[in-house]
């Protein structure tokens, strides 16, 4: 023996230790992989030795290699060996290796349960310490369940060093095994007042983390935390508490009012930035929850923040906080505009993106141009398409928000859009296009300008389509072509544009764009004809135009895109016909123009509703009586159909449609929709179908604002939006001057009384800025999509509209709607919130019982630590210490029994066979082909001191009665020189409780259940129970798998379900140490047995 | 905190601590991603970035990057302080720590981290207490090693 040890230590001297390994790796930079593979071979040899020191050294090296990314999972068992060494030195390394290498699917973890339990109860606090630390990294639900009690005991350990760790690790245990929270919570709460500050802060940590996941249950702790907050000086603890309050205030606004003062004190007094930040965050949360703003406080935040926002890394956090403030107090953020604009110049993309978010909420009529100008500069500078795309969408978002509320000059906006088309490789061509369409259609005054711009775009189309095929920007041409065609009367040189649209290069554009090109070429053609007809000298021009079309269109007729082909061939034939007429000197212009007559006006999607139904028009009445023979009609119609021929019957039939209920209607609607969907001739309802072409009559009524620009509208080439900024300023100056004049006049009239309220030198207020153009059709209800989708803009519907329908409202803008994207986001958020809320309401039943429900994880489907009673014959060799019976949710007749086998002797145990004597009711499920008395082979062997878990499935027919099954375990004990066959008898006790599954139940469902009258009652009285009521409830929940539905004072209703779906309801009342339980269940036998078991639980304590 | 990574300027991982159970594959992917993202950032950029649904807080000390992943609601600044505190602890323990100390005594670096953080939460805010615990555990380890050595010597001297 002695020699062996000495030999081991000599070996050790020659082995590589960790330092050697590291050095070796550094020296073999070229062939690292090869070197490491030889090292791993060495390690494998070392692991085979008996000497634990050698093994530990090997494991330590493996841990290092694991970090370098090598797979060491094969050594998991060796790690467990080193963990179970009695010496701290090796144990420490073993646990470190385990915490680094193990994860939930590591199968040897279940072998460690008992080792960890032993270490937890070790007299040496450092043994316990490493075990706890290790466990915190690899705790699994099984470990959590098995060790929860041991850790709970450690929470009251004499040494604060252990208490602290035990408290912290409980959080991990709660996450893995939520059921442990109830019994552990009282002790955890106690630790908030632990004399040791470390333990106290650990408890604060854990409770804060729990509360963040489910704040509602922790409201009652608020006073305690408030006390801690005002007394504690530890910043780490303070931050946690303040964060907790941040989570609680939305639930309890009164708390917020109380918090404001201490928080502002902290803000002003603390020098720790992290604490300050936390305070500010919570104050913001408080301000949001108190809908009535407290301007002075928000001002104080502002001060403190702008003080620090200059320092470099805090910028980001400052912006983050500001975006929160912005939601409720936009005014106070606006004053920091310059600071935020500066942030756009920051090198860091995340800071820039945050700043962009803020800008969205900050724009006003006054500063929009300035801000967008700044953004445009950034677009030019920006590298990286993602950021540039982000900028682009932000610019459009900012401008189009609230129905273009902040845009005063649409020429400027169009030029911005045109400038944006110069971006290469952007994905948002479609967005720009839809904006162009939207503006050109809705702002009538801008059309001439827009058309001119679009014509330039078309002329320079080669710049846009440029090099790459996947260039998204060519979408813009779609808008350009349509605008030029539709509003061609504004074109100065339609011929040029027409020529540009028919260039051969167009054929490389995507199909849908070509289609629009072709269609609009026809519109332009009509315009050209109209312009040149009647003047004899020009008839040549008209004929040339026709010839141009006839020359160019065949290219499109050959297109592979059906839409393009179809339109092109239609128009080609038309033009050929026209050419013939032209040659005969027939005037055709008027007729051709008539093809495209009428103007497209945008109409709000709900406008249709506002059309009054003409008197006497009943859309539900048949225009013609339906044909009699149609078999597919429903009953009512049939009888009506018959009535046409046989009037005497009609008396009995009730009036049709009035009795058709909603359901039936919905059904019919579905059928109709399906029919329509399959009918190729039916134009499906879409927002565009509601747009209506009006006859020219209404157009005059539209208030058109004269553009008072002194410069020519047509800007050659690509316009620079900048000049509009200047112009806008001038315009405003002029407006102001005009106003001032008026004012002065008034003043003079009023004499001395009319004191000037606004100083002329002061900044102009929002209202003073009058927009240069109006958005024409504005509605209370913008369409869901926000931007009209013009799939095929030339499809028209004629529908008489009364004046009230197309609401050309007074020329002011309605700020009611937000842009669609924004709205969508909001909806998403709401959904999220709802989800959260849902989570809360799940826990609502429990929360009044005790402040300790964890909702953060899905509760384990079944988690029964059932009091499995064992009657084991004393056997020195093998033990079955814990057994766990679980109902199987999927199958109402299955129960899973997990058995942990532990080898307590010094010999190796193998060939274990588990057998149970089946009863009529319960049977062990054996593999197919096995006889009813065959045992099941346990799929592992047990080295000395090791335990492992096996699961067996039982089928149970009747769950009403508790059961005891007799069983035997046979196994072979193998020692060095001999092996013996041994046998162990045991009894399995299936309690009725183990058939119950904790199922949450809502109180309304619960009361419905009770009202249904299907349940039979039974009651139970327990005397001399002197534990607090919530303990008692927790006990029933924990041991008997009930959940609390509702609790009022000393009375609570509880619910559980059996695996076969029996409902079980309890009403627990307590008074003077007497507990009465009224129970109801649809299976009285089961109920009686469960009550007996409950009684037993309480008699044991 | 979800995890902590230490890596060098060359992108070599020096220490990793995971407080959430993840498979080796996921861990490798995450650390590769993050190391790349962070190394690509310029020195004047802020210490926080949003990554997937987590917030990454990192700081560079000499040639080593310390990087933590925290959840959305967590305080970035206190995470920075945790990083700093850990660096201070390493510094105190090794005496002006350098990257090599952590490479060659990587198990010690883990022990210190484990005394300071547990399950991703700060367990001891006092530097003194952390170092005291480490020293005592080290003493215990030395005592055991010495006893082993003595035993071996005794076995060698009187057979």
């Amino acid at each position: 023996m002695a020699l062996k040890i000495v030999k081991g230590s000599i070996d050790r001297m020659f082995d590589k230790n960790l330092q050697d390994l590291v050095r070796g790796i550094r020296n073999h930079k070229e062939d690292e992989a090869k070197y490491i593979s030889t090292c791993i071979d060495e390690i494998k040899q070392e692991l085979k030795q008996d000497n634990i020191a050698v093994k530990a050294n090997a494991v330590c090296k493996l841990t290092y290699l694991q970090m370098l990314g090598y797979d060491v999972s094969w050594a998991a068992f060796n790690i467990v060996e080193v963990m179970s060494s009695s010496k701290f030195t090796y144990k420490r390394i073993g646990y470190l290796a385990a915490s680094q290498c193990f994860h939930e699917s590591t199968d040897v973890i279940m072998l460690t349960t008992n080792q960890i339990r032993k270490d937890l109860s070790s007299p040496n606090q450092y043994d316990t310490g490493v075990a706890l630390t290790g466990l915190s990294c690899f705790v699994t639900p099984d470990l959590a369940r098995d060790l929860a009690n041991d850790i709970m005991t450690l929470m009251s350990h004499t040494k604060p060093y252990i208490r602290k760790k035990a408290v912290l690790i409980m959080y991990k245990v709660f996450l893995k095994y939520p059921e442990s929270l109830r019994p552990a919570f009282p002790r955890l709460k106690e630790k908030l007042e632990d004399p040791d500050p470390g333990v106290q802060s650990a408890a604060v940590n854990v409770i804060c983390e729990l509360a963040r996941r489910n704040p509602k249950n922790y409201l009652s702790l608020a006073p305690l935390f408030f006390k801690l907050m005002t007394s504690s000086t530890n910043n780490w603890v303070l931050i946690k508490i303040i964060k907790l309050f941040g989570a609680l205030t939305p639930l309890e606004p009164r708390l917020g009012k109380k918090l404001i003062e201490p928080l502002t004190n902290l803000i002003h007094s603390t020098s720790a930035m992290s604490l300050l930040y936390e305070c500010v965050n919570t104050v913001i949360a408080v301000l949001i929850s108190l809908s009535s703003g407290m301007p002075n406080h928000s001002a104080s935040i502002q001060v403190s923040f702008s003080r620090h926002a200059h320092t470099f890394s805090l910028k980001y956090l400052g912006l983050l906080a500001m975006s929160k403030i912005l939601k409720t107090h936009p005014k106070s953020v606006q004053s920091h505009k310059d600071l935020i604009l500066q942030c756009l110049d920051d090198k860091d993309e995340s800071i820039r993106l945050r700043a962009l978010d803020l800008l969205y909420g900050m724009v006003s009529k006054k500063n929009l141009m300035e801000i967008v100008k700044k953004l445009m500069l950034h677009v030019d500078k920006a590298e990286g398409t993602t950021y540039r795309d982000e900028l682009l969408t932000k610019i459009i978002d900012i401008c189009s928000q609230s129905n273009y509320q902040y845009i005063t000059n649409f020429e400027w906006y169009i030029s911005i859009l045109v400038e944006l088309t110069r971006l290469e490789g952007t994905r948002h061509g479609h967005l720009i296009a839809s904006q162009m369409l939207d503006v050109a259609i809705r702002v009538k005054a801008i059309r001439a300008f827009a058309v001119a711009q679009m014509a330039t775009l078309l002329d320079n189309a080669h710049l846009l389509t440029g090099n790459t095929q996947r260039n998204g920007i060519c979408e813009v041409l779609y808008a350009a072509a349509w605008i030029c065609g539709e509003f061609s009367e504004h074109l100065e040189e339609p011929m040029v544009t027409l020529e540009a649209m028919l260039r051969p290069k167009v054929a490389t554009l995507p199909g849908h764009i070509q289609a629009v090109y072709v269609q609009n070429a026809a519109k332009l053609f009509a315009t050209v004809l109209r312009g040149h007809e009647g003047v004899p000298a020009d008839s040549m021009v008209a004929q040339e135009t026709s010839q141009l079309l006839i020359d160019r269109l065949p290219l499109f007729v050959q297109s592979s895109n059906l839409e393009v082909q179809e339109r092109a061939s239609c128009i080609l034939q038309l033009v050929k016909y026209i050419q013939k007429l032209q040659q005969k000197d027939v005037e055709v212009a008027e007729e051709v123009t008539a093809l495209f007559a009428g103007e497209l006006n945008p109409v709000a999607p709900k406008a249709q509703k506002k059309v009054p139904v003409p008197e006497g028009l009943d859309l539900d009445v048949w225009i013609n009586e339906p044909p009699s023979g149609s078999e597919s009609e429903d009953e009512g119609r049939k009888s009506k159909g018959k009535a046409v021929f046989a009037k005497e019957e009609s008396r009995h039939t009730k009036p049709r449609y009035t009795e058709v209920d909603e359901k039936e209607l919905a059904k019919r609607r579905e059928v109709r929709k399906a029919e329509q969907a399959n009918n190729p001739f039916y134009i499906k309802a879409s927002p565009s179908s509601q747009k209506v072409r009006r006859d020219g009559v209404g157009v005059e009524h539209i208030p058109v604002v004269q553009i008072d620009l002194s410069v020519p509208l047509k800007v050659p080439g690509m316009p620079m939006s900048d000049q509009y900024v200047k112009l806008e300023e001038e315009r405003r100056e002029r407006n102001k001057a005009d106003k001032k004049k008026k004012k002065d006049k008034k003043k003079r009239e009023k004499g001395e009384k009319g004191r000037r309220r606004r100083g002329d030198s002061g900044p102009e207020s929002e209202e003073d800025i009058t927009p240069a153009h109006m958005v024409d059709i504005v509605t209370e209800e913008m369409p869901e999509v926000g931007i009209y989708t013009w799939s095929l803009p030339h499809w028209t519907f004629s529908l008489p509209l009364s004046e009230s329908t197309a609401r050309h409202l007074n020329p002011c803008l309605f700020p009611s709607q937000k842009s669609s994207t924004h709205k969508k986001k909001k909806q998403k958020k709401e959904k999220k919130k709802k989800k959260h809320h849902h989570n809360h309401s799940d826990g609502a039943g429990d929360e009044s019982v005790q402040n300790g429900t964890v909702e953060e994880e899905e509760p384990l489907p079944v988690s029964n630590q059932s009091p499995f009673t064992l009657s084991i014959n004393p056997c020195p060799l093998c033990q079955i210490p814990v057994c766990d019976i679980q109902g199987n949710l999927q199958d109402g007749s299955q129960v899973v029994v997990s058995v942990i086998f532990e080898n307590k002797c010094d010999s190796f145990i193998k060939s274990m066979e588990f057998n149970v004597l089946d009863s009529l009711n319960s049977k062990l499920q054996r593999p197919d082909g096995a006889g009813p008395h065959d045992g099941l082979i346990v799929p592992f062997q047990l080295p000395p001191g090791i335990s492992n878990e096996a699961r067996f499935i039982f089928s149970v027919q009747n769950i009403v009665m508790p059961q005891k099954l007799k069983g035997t375990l046979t196994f072979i004990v193998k020692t060095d020189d001999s092996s013996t066959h041994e046998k162990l008898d045991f009894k399995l006790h299936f309690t009725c409780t183990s058939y119950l599954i904790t199922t949450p139940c809502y109180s309304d469902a619960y009361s419905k259940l009770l009202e249904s009258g299907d349940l039979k009652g039974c009651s139970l009285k327990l005397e001399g129970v002197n534990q607090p009521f919530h303990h008692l409830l927790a006990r029933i929940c924990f041991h008997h798998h009930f959940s609390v539905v509702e609790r009022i004072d000393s009375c609570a209703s509880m619910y559980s379900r059996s695996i076969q779906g029996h409902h079980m309801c309890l009403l627990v009342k307590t008074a003077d140490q007497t507990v009465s339980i009224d129970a109801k269940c649809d299976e009285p036998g089961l109920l009686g047995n469960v009550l007996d078991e409950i009684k037993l639980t309480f008699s044991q304590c | 905190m979800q995890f902590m990574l230490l890596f060098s300027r060359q992108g070599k991982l020096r220490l990793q601590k995971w407080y959430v159970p993840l498979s080796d594959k996921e861990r490798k992917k995450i650390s590769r991603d993050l190391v790349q993202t962070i190394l690509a950032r310029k020195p004047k950029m802020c210490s926080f970035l949003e990554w997937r649904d987590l917030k990454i807080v990192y700081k560079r000390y000499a040639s080593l990057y310390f990087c933590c992943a925290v959840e959305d609601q967590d305080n970035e600044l206190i995470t920075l302080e945790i990083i700093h505190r850990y660096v201070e602890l390493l510094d105190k323990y090794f005496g002006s720590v350098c990257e090599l100390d952590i490479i060659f005594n990587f198990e010690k670096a883990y022990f210190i981290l484990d005394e300071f953080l547990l399950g991703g939460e700060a367990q001891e805010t006092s530097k003194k207490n952390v170092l005291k615990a480490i020293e005592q555990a080290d003493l215990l380890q030395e005592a055991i090693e010495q006893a082993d050595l003595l035993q071996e010597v005794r076995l060698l001297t009187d057979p």
Side-chain angles (χ1 to χ4, degrees), chain A residues 614-627:
Chain A
E615 246 177 86
L617 172 65
D618 186 358
L619 291 175
D620 291 338
V621 166
W622 287 97
I623 300 169
N624 298 314
E625 290 297 333

Side-chain angles (χ1 to χ4, degrees), chain A residues 9 19 67 69 92 100 126 161 164 168 172 205 212 243 274 277-278 312 316 348 354, chain B residues 14 16 19 27-28 41 44-46 50 73-75 81 104 110 115 123-124 136 138 141:
Chain A
S9 67
Q19 271 79 11
M67 185 176 69
R92 204 182 187 188
Q100 293 300 113
Y126 292 105
Y161 177 78
K164 180 178 76 185
L168 274 179
K172 292 271 163 183
N205 250 334
R212 246 166 64 182
K243 190 183 287 293
S274 46
Y277 177 55
E278 200 58 59
F312 133 77
Y316 173 80
D348 194 342
R354 286 276 154 222
Chain B
R14 295 300 179 210
Q16 53 167 348
Y19 297 109
R27 289 182 185 184
K28 264 188 219 164
R41 288 171 69 85
K44 279 267 165 117
M45 290 185 171
C46 81
E50 284 164 42
Q73 303 142 313
D74 283 322
N75 187 325
E81 254 169 71
F104 283 106
Y110 276 119
E115 282 302 326
Q123 67 164 311
E124 184 55 70
Q136 278 174 356
D138 281 353
Q141 183 173 340

